[in-house]
Amino acid sequence: MNIDQVQAKAIQVFQSDTFMVHLWEDRTRGEQWVPSYDPKVLGLVGDEFLRTVSNNAVDSGRRSFEFRALEPGTHHVEFSKRMAWKFTAEDRRIFKVIVSPLSS
């Protein structure tokens, strides 16, 4: 399936600005979101996990990715929810990033 045929959440930013993507992750189940993007046009500047469940047996929370828009244009970031024992992704999320050039 073509990435342009999939429902994608749009994010609009200016070149050199940063933007955040927040995803729920349950590490107790072995879940991990893995981003796929072109590093020439988007740069990953931060990746943090905030544990939101206050139970010692559960390790789940919000995973936050911070990207910098390096080049103008329309770009895609695809997140695959991976589990170590599976060969295919459990889920995926696609973000369409529209980067406007800096005005002169």
Side-chain angles (χ1 to χ4, degrees):
M1 181 181 293
N2 188 335
I3 198 166
D4 293 324
Q5 296 173 328
V6 176
Q7 181 75 18
K9 182 176 179 183
I11 299 172
Q12 294 188 346
V13 295
F14 286 101
Q15 184 178 1
S16 80
D17 283 351
T18 61
F19 62 95
M20 301 288 291
V21 175
H22 305 286
L23 299 168
W24 177 258
E25 190 173 89
D26 186 353
R27 293 182 173 186
T28 309
R29 289 178 14 104
E31 296 175 356
Q32 181 179 7
W33 286 103
V34 178
S36 176
Y37 58 95
D38 183 351
K40 295 175 187 168
V41 296
L42 299 172
L44 181 63
V45 295
D47 178 356
E48 294 184 9
F49 178 76
L50 175 63
R51 188 176 186 191
T52 58
V53 177
S54 61
N55 182 334
N56 289 338
V58 178
D59 191 17
S60 59
R62 185 179 76 178
R63 181 103 176 260
S64 298
F65 296 89
E66 183 178 12
F67 292 92
R68 182 172 306 281
L70 303 175
E71 296 292 332
T74 300
H75 316 296
H76 292 92
V77 180
E78 180 178 342
F79 289 90
S80 298
K81 186 189 286 185
R82 308 296 299 186
M83 296 185 167
W85 63 91
K86 288 189 173 183
F87 293 109
T88 58
E90 180 84 359
D91 191 7
R92 74 179 186 159
R93 306 281 165 82
I94 298 177
F95 294 83
K96 181 179 184 178
V97 184
I98 302 159
V99 182
S100 299
L102 294 173
S103 56
S104 303

